[in-house]
Amino acid sequence: MAVDDRPIFVVKGLCVEARSDGRPLNLVDDFNISLSKGEVLGLVGETGAGKSLSMRASVGLLPPAIRAASGSIYFGGRSCSAGETRALRSHLGRGICLLLQNGRSALNPFMRVHAQIDRILSYRGHARQDRRSAIDALLESVGLPSQEIGTRYPHELSGGQAQRVAMTIALASEPLVLIADEPTTALDVTTERDVIQLLLSLCRQRDMSLVLITHNLGLVANNCDRVAIMHAGHVVEIGPTASIFKAPQHPYTLSLLQAIPDVDEPRELIPLTGSSPRPGAFGDGCRFATRCPHVDTDCKARVPDLIAVGDRLVRCVIPKRSKVGTVPGMKREHQAKWPAQSATP
Amino acid sequence: MTDLVPKAVATTMDTSPVLAVRGLSKSFGRSASADMLAPGCHDISFDLMPGETIGIVGESGSGKTTLGRCIAGLLPSDVGVIEFDGRDIATMTREERRDFRRRVQIVFQNPDNALNPRMTVGSFVAEALKNYGLGSKDERRGRLLELAALVGLRDDHIDRFPHQLSGGQKQRVSIMRALACEPNIIVLDEPTSALDVSVQAQVLRTLRDIQERRSVSFVLISHDVGVVRYMCRRLMVMYLGRVVETGSTEAVVAEPAHPYTRALVDAVPRLRRTHERDFRLLSDTATRRTAAAACQLRLRCPLATDACAMTPPMRQVGDRHDAACWSVQPSRLGDSQS
C-alpha cells in the first residue's frame, strides 16, 4: 500500500492529567504519534493504558475533571495547543471522526436510520433532493440494504448493523482521519472480521487515515501498517507492525504476545506478574519496572526515553545495552526453552 | 510440569461420567413467530468425565450461558435430563439437591457482580464453608489460606474488600469461593472475557494448575477459540441454541466440518499468518432467524441447499468428531469402529 509520507495528523508531547486532592495526577505522558494520508495505525494496550484518553485529548473530548497539560496537535495545515479544546473540537465532523465501541449508543434511539444520516448530510450542506440518494449510497457502501434498514430504529438493529450505521454517519462527513475506539469489541468474531475489513476497504477507497484503538493484538497484526503499544500512560514501542510482531524489543510487547493463547499451535502461556500500576503509583522510573523480568537499577532511576532501535522507537534501556538477544523473540526455537512454571525467575 | 496440550484424563474410557446431559432444552419467552426457535438452548446432549474440561463456544445468543446455568442448577430445564453422578437433578431429594449445589459451582463473567461489596474476601469465602458446615472456625482460617494460595492470592488479600482488589484478583476470589466446597464440577462462564490479556493468561494458568491438583471438571463457556484451545481437550460449538459440532479441540480447530465452525475458526485474528483458509458466512446484515425445523445457519450459509429446510442430524465426520450439516460427508470411520 503506497502511503503519502507527509503527515496529516500529528500529536506531539501530549500529557494528560487528572486533578486529585488538588495535586495533578499524570495519566498520559509524552505521547507522540503522526499519521500519514491513508495510513492505518493500531493503538494497543491494556485497560487504563491511556489509549482512548490520548486520542480523546487530541480531539478536545476529555471528561470534565481531566485536562491536557501540555502538547500540540497538528491537523488541517495548522497546529494548536492541546489545551485549546474549542479549536480541537472544531475538527470533529470536519475532517476527524470518532467511531465508538458500541454503535448503538452513538445513535439516537428515537430516530430512524434514514433520518439520522439525513441530519448529518444536511449539516454538511447537501441539498434536500440529493440527500436520499446519498443516504442510499452510504448505506450500500457499508453493505446494508437501504430499503430494509433505513426505516428501522436503532433497537431493531443487530450489533453489527448498528456499528455499520455508526460508520455510515462517520463517513457522511467525509473525514480525513477516522479514530475508531474499540469498534468491534462488542461484536462476535465472524462479524468483527467483516466490520474491520469493511472499515479498511473504506479507508483505502477514500484514502482515509485510521487510528484503530484496540486491546486485540490479532486485529492489529493483520490490519495495521504501524502499531503503538501503550502501557500505563506511555507509548513503550512504536513502529511497523510486521517487524514489531516478529521481534518485539520492549519486554512489555513481548509479554503481551506471549500471553495470547494461540489457536493453531497451543503453547504454554507466560503471564506477567501483577497488573499495570494505577495512576499515582507510577513512580519515577520506568512504569513497567514492577512487572519487568529484566529490571535493574537503571530502570527505577528515571523514565527511559523513546530511543530509535532499527525501524522503531522503544522506551526501554535493554536495547541500548546491546543485549537485544536476551529478550527472547517469538521464534519457534525459543518456545521449547521457555520455563514451564513461571516467566520470572 | 504442565504440558503444552491440555491433559487427557488417563482413564477416560472406564470411569462413568460425572455429568450426563440428555436432550436438554430450555427456552425463554416466545419466538418471533410460531414456527421459529425461541431463544435458549435446544436438544443438547453430552457427557463430562471427572477431571475433564469441555469447552462450549458460540456467538452471543447461541445459548451457551443458558446451558451453563442449567448444568449448575440455576435454571430448570424444559425438556431433557441432567444427571449428576448418576442421579437426575430434577428429581433429587432436598438433601441430595443440597449436596448437588455444593458439588457443582459456577464462576461468572463479571466478578464485580459476583462478589459481595460489603464482605471481605475471607468472610465471603468462609460463608460457603460455613453454609455446608465444613470445619470449625480455626480450621476455616487455615482452609482460607490454603485456598488463597491455590488461586494465587496472597494471605493479606483475605482481609480485603472487593473494591481493594484488581479485576484479575476479584476473578480469583470468585474461583476461590467456587473451589471452597471441594466441587466436582465448576461451570466457568466466560471467566476471563472481562480481563486484560496478561491477567487472562494468569487466570487460565491458575485454572489449569488447579485442575491438575484437584481432579475437578470444568465446563468452560467462552467465545474465544484461543482460550478454549488452550484449556480444553474437547469442544462443543453452538449456534442459535443448537450444538452444531463437537469433537476434540484439536480436530475441530484444525479440520472444522460445520460451516459455522469453519467461519468461526477462520475469523479468529491471528498474530502470525499461519492460517490461509478464509471461509465466510454471508453478511450478518440480513435476518438470521429461520424456521425451527430448518438448519439455523441456513440464511447465512453459503453452502445452503434445499435439504437445509430440515434440521441436519449429528453425523460422525472423524474420530469422535461429529457435525450437524447436510453438506458434510459422514466419514466411514464410524463403520469400522462400531
Side-chain angles (χ1 to χ4, degrees):
Chain A
M1 198 186 330
V3 174
D4 183 355
D5 278 346
R6 269 170 306 158
I8 58 164
F9 178 66
V10 181
V11 181
K12 240 187 195 154
L14 177 72
C15 174
V16 181
E17 287 178 352
R19 293 225 152 249
S20 108
D21 302 332
R23 279 182 304 133
L25 192 65
N26 183 274
L27 301 175
V28 175
D29 195 24
D30 192 21
F31 179 87
N32 300 286
I33 56 164
S34 79
L35 208 59
S36 316
K37 203 168 172 52
E39 191 182 24
V40 179
L41 172 75
L43 196 53
V44 292
E46 296 180 284
T47 316
K51 324 182 277 293
S52 301
L53 216 50
S54 46
M55 291 324 292
R56 280 174 169 265
S58 12
V59 293
L61 278 185
L62 287 174
I66 297 177
R67 65 184 194 100
S70 64
S72 64
I73 285 97
Y74 168 88
F75 180 73
R78 64 193 187 90
S79 251
C80 63
S81 143
E84 294 173 61
T85 314
R86 195 175 280 266
L88 290 174
R89 281 188 197 168
S90 72
H91 296 316
L92 283 174
R94 294 184 192 82
I96 303 183
C97 276
L98 278 177
L99 188 64
L100 301 175
Q101 182 176 134
N102 184 346
R104 203 170 287 131
S105 66
L107 305 179
N108 181 334
F110 296 107
M111 280 171 91
R112 294 181 199 270
V113 169
H114 272 160
Q116 312 212 20
I117 305 170
D118 187 73
R119 191 149 81 165
I120 306 293
L121 292 173
S122 83
Y123 290 159
R124 295 281 302 173
H126 287 251
R128 184 180 292 270
Q129 62 271 24
D130 304 335
R131 280 187 230 147
R132 188 50 201 253
S133 59
I135 293 170
D136 289 348
L138 278 168
L139 282 172
E140 198 179 310
S141 73
V142 298
L144 292 174
S146 181
Q147 292 292 331
E148 195 192 330
I149 299 290
T151 53
R152 293 203 193 162
Y153 286 97
H155 75 269
E156 296 171 309
L157 303 172
S158 71
Q161 288 168 341
Q163 196 58 280
R164 282 164 204 256
V165 173
M167 222 185 271
T168 313
I169 288 175
L171 294 175
S173 52
E174 293 171 13
L176 294 168
V177 176
L178 184 65
I179 299 171
D181 192 349
E182 307 261 9
T184 57
T185 307
L187 306 178
D188 292 310
V189 258
T190 49
T191 317
E192 172 178 71
R193 193 238 334 242
D194 292 348
V195 168
I196 283 287
Q197 292 200 341
L198 173 67
L199 196 57
L200 289 169
S201 74
L202 289 168
C203 284
R204 234 164 277 145
Q205 276 166 30
R206 291 159 180 253
D207 218 2
M208 187 165 70
S209 310
L210 175 69
V211 180
L212 179 66
I213 302 176
T214 180
H215 60 262
N216 187 337
L217 286 155
L219 276 188
V220 171
N222 296 317
N223 301 312
C224 297
D225 305 320
R226 282 194 307 143
V227 58
I229 290 121
M230 291 193 74
H231 176 263
H234 275 147
V235 170
V236 293
E237 186 160 3
I238 179 168
T241 312
S243 78
I244 287 190
F245 278 68
K246 207 167 156 200
Q249 294 285 346
H250 196 284
Y252 179 64
T253 314
L254 176 74
S255 62
L256 274 185
L257 294 173
Q258 289 177 337
I260 298 173
D262 193 307
V263 180
D264 305 307
E265 299 165 18
R267 52 180 164 76
E268 193 47 270
L269 302 178
I270 304 189
L272 277 170
T273 45
S275 48
S276 302
R278 292 185 182 190
F282 289 152
D284 298 327
C286 174
R287 294 177 181 178
F288 187 60
T290 51
R291 305 172 80 188
C292 183
H294 309 283
V295 67
D296 66 19
T297 45
D298 294 3
C299 305
K300 288 182 177 163
R302 59 185 211 89
V303 176
D305 295 322
L306 268 177
I307 53 166
V309 180
D311 53 359
R312 66 189 94 150
L313 296 172
V314 184
R315 194 184 290 280
C316 182
V317 296
I318 294 176
K320 213 162 51 177
R321 279 190 231 130
S322 76
K323 278 194 188 168
V324 181
T326 56
V327 182
M330 288 298 285
K331 289 181 199 148
R332 210 156 293 163
E333 60 262 33
H334 285 114
Q335 290 186 13
K337 292 181 204 154
W338 284 346
Q341 279 307 317
S342 165
T344 47
Chain B
M1 206 189 115
T2 43
D3 268 335
L4 292 190
V5 264
K7 272 200 181 132
V9 183
T11 49
T12 310
M13 296 315 289
D14 41 59
T15 46
S16 54
V18 61
L19 183 85
V21 177
R22 295 286 172 267
L24 174 77
S25 292
K26 171 74 193 174
S27 50
F28 298 98
R30 274 179 305 158
S31 50
S33 72
D35 60 344
M36 287 193 189
L37 217 52
C41 61
H42 301 271
D43 196 20
I44 315 270
S45 301
F46 71 97
D47 286 341
L48 183 67
M49 295 295 166
E52 190 192 10
T53 305
I54 188 165
I56 302 175
V57 291
E59 57 187 21
S60 43
S62 61
K64 46 192 200 309
T65 294
T66 305
L67 174 61
R69 293 188 178 193
C70 287
I71 295 169
L74 299 179
L75 285 172
S77 57
D78 295 342
V79 189
V81 178
I82 302 173
E83 279 184 3
F84 172 73
D85 244 357
R87 289 163 298 162
D88 180 355
I89 66 166
T91 59
M92 281 179 173
T93 62
R94 254 180 91 95
E95 272 99 88
E96 278 177 336
R97 195 153 179 88
R98 196 167 148 73
D99 184 55
F100 163 77
R101 290 230 187 267
R102 176 173 79 77
R103 303 216 282 161
V104 181
Q105 296 285 327
I106 186 164
V107 172
F108 295 100
Q109 173 173 359
N110 189 345
D112 285 311
N113 302 340
L115 307 186
N116 187 336
R118 291 165 183 249
M119 286 171 94
T120 61
V121 171
S123 52
F124 180 72
V125 177
E127 191 182 45
L129 296 172
K130 244 184 269 177
N131 181 23
Y132 289 102
L134 301 173
S136 66
K137 203 173 174 187
D138 299 337
E139 284 165 2
R140 281 205 290 269
R141 183 76 196 178
R143 179 95 179 103
L144 282 178
L145 294 172
E146 189 189 314
L147 283 166
L150 191 63
V151 298
L153 289 173
R154 287 196 313 270
D155 294 356
D156 62 294
H157 285 130
I158 288 178
D159 297 312
R160 294 201 195 171
F161 286 95
H163 72 269
Q164 295 166 313
L165 300 171
S166 70
Q169 288 166 343
K170 278 185 267 195
Q171 196 58 287
R172 285 166 197 270
V173 176
S174 290
I175 296 168
M176 188 175 159
R177 168 139 167 168
L179 280 171
C181 302
E182 306 266 315
N184 297 60
I185 300 173
I186 301 182
V187 178
L188 302 158
D189 189 356
E190 304 265 11
T192 57
S193 50
L195 308 176
D196 280 316
V197 277
S198 68
V199 183
Q200 163 173 289
Q202 295 166 9
V203 171
L204 293 181
R205 277 194 60 149
T206 306
L207 284 169
R208 272 186 44 177
D209 287 350
I210 289 168
Q211 191 167 41
E212 268 169 40
R213 282 189 242 168
R214 315 272 157 108
S215 78
V216 51
S217 306
F218 291 143
V219 177
L220 176 71
I221 298 167
S222 179
H223 63 269
D224 188 330
V225 184
V227 168
V228 169
R229 180 84 172 92
Y230 175 72
M231 291 286 293
C232 312
R233 264 281 169 132
R234 205 151 60 90
L235 155 79
M236 288 204 304
V237 183
M238 291 183 72
Y239 185 79
L240 287 186
R242 292 215 168 98
V243 174
V244 294
E245 185 158 358
T246 159
S248 80
T249 317
E250 202 180 343
V252 173
V253 172
E255 298 291 334
H258 194 277
Y260 175 69
T261 321
R262 288 168 63 185
L264 178 72
V265 170
D266 292 356
V268 175
R270 283 149 167 95
L271 291 178
R272 287 163 291 153
R273 293 190 184 279
T274 47
H275 192 79
E276 295 301 330
R277 282 193 305 246
D278 189 12
F279 181 83
R280 285 152 187 262
L281 296 176
L282 305 181
S283 168
D284 71 316
T285 50
T287 4
R288 289 190 179 188
R289 296 260 169 191
T290 179
C295 169
Q296 294 299 300
L297 190 65
R298 191 180 168 207
L299 296 180
R300 287 176 78 195
C301 181
L303 309 177
T305 61
D306 292 342
C308 303
M310 273 182 36
T311 305
M314 271 288 190
R315 295 187 294 182
Q316 190 165 27
V317 295
D319 183 14
R320 273 186 265 161
H321 180 179
D322 301 328
C325 178
W326 293 115
S327 76
V328 173
Q329 290 299 315
S331 78
R332 263 168 237 117
L333 254 165
D335 305 339
S336 58
Q337 274 198 339
S338 57

